[in-house]
Amino acid sequence: MSINVLVVDDSKITRSVIKKTIKIAGIDFNKIFEAENGKEALEVLGNEWIDLIFTDINMPIMGGAEMIEKLGDDGLLKTIPVIVVSTERSQTRIEQLQKCGVKAYVKKPFHPEEIKKIVDDIIGRD
Amino acid sequence: MSEEMEEMIVDAVSNTFENLAFMFVEEVDKSELENTGDEYFISKMAYSGDNTGSLVMATTKQMCINLATNILGLDDDEEPEKSILGDAFNEVLNVVCGQLLAEKYGEKAIFDLTIPEISSVDDKKWNEFLELEETIGIMVDEFPVLIAAYFND
């Protein structure tokens, strides 16, 4: 099954790198949507069916933590797996995000294999 | 700044350039980095939380072009879009900040980071930044980079 992916990051170059990683990692995707912050991401989620979200934490207008909190308030959106890709390394913050339902936390800079393994684990493929 | 702190900063910068863009860092005497006649960019960000402080990093436009090219894995005949040059350098500062804070304060500490802000500066501003006591000079591949970290503790 091809999946729709949403990449949320205020850095255009980071969005490009994540998109490229998804492609070269051999992840079976249908469409990759982009958003520059949590607010834009929620707009995309209101209009499109999304199967997987990659998000940064530190973004203007609405950060990743606030967006994840809002996803948790929505019966349907809270079922979408979220992978956080961030420069933050605080174990305390990672644990807080995991309690909010975040499936995985990837520290920047990352390797494509790391993303591939995490996506395979989450969507249940080898 | 202590030698230990300077080493920590250079390590964080080295790891970031190497892992993000496959570019290699060499610490040099700052006098070797006086104005090169290129256009310069300076990026700044701050952090707050368990402690406060800020980071400032500067480089040349040509460095940003090479950096974006390497991050995106572009071919030699491809040029990155102008709009992402600053974005690439901001991303380096962002990753350096995350690594440095974890290294200095441990992985239990929590910080809120500001969004890095980049601006174009002239030779005069480059030299002013170069001459500050806190500023560390490095070469990344063949490009000059200046970095200063201000820890309020």
Side-chain angles (χ1 to χ4, degrees), chain A residues 9-14 16-17 20 56 58-60 87-93 95-96 107-109 111, chain B residues 19-20 68 71-73 81 83-84 87-88 91 94-95 98-99 102 107-115:
Chain A
D9 200 306
D10 56 317
S11 162
K12 189 177 177 184
I13 200 163
T14 302
S16 298
V17 170
K20 195 168 184 174
D56 188 15
N58 187 29
M59 294 179 287
T87 57
E88 280 206 45
R89 285 161 185 263
S90 164
Q91 201 53 42
T92 312
R93 170 87 23 105
E95 283 163 13
Q96 284 172 354
K107 292 171 188 170
K108 293 180 187 175
H111 293 286
Chain B
N19 290 312
L20 197 65
I71 290 176
L72 293 172
E81 292 170 45
S83 64
I84 63 165
D87 208 24
E91 189 61 11
N94 206 15
V95 176
Q99 290 204 2
E107 295 200 337
K108 290 280 177 199
I110 294 188
F111 295 99
D112 290 315
L113 312 180
T114 63
I115 309 296

Side-chain angles (χ1 to χ4, degrees), chain A residues 44-93:
Chain A
V44 174
L45 287 160
N47 296 319
E48 307 288 346
W49 181 268
I50 300 293
D51 302 290
L52 181 65
I53 301 171
F54 287 90
T55 185
D56 188 15
I57 289 299
N58 187 29
M59 294 179 287
I61 302 173
M62 185 191 289
E66 189 182 347
M67 181 195 76
I68 290 161
E69 206 179 299
K70 287 189 186 298
L71 295 181
D73 293 338
D74 185 295
L76 186 60
L77 297 182
K78 73 178 178 189
T79 62
I80 303 172
V82 177
I83 299 170
V84 170
V85 183
S86 176
T87 57
E88 280 206 45
R89 285 161 185 263
S90 164
Q91 201 53 42
T92 312
R93 170 87 23 105

Side-chain angles (χ1 to χ4, degrees), chain B residues 57-99:
Chain B
M57 193 163 70
T59 194
T60 62
K61 184 181 174 184
Q62 190 55 49
M63 162 69 184
C64 292
I65 292 171
N66 282 50
L67 177 65
T69 300
N70 279 22
I71 290 176
L72 293 172
L74 300 178
D75 291 331
D76 290 345
D77 57 348
E78 292 178 289
E79 185 117 326
E81 292 170 45
K82 278 184 184 165
S83 64
I84 63 165
L85 299 184
D87 208 24
F89 197 54
N90 277 344
E91 189 61 11
V92 169
L93 185 65
N94 206 15
V95 176
V96 167
C97 188
Q99 290 204 2

Side-chain angles (χ1 to χ4, degrees), chain B residues 38-52:
Chain B
D38 199 345
E39 189 180 335
Y40 302 98
F41 286 114
I42 190 159
S43 178
K44 300 175 182 180
M45 69 184 294
Y47 61 89
S48 57
D50 287 358
N51 280 286
T52 61

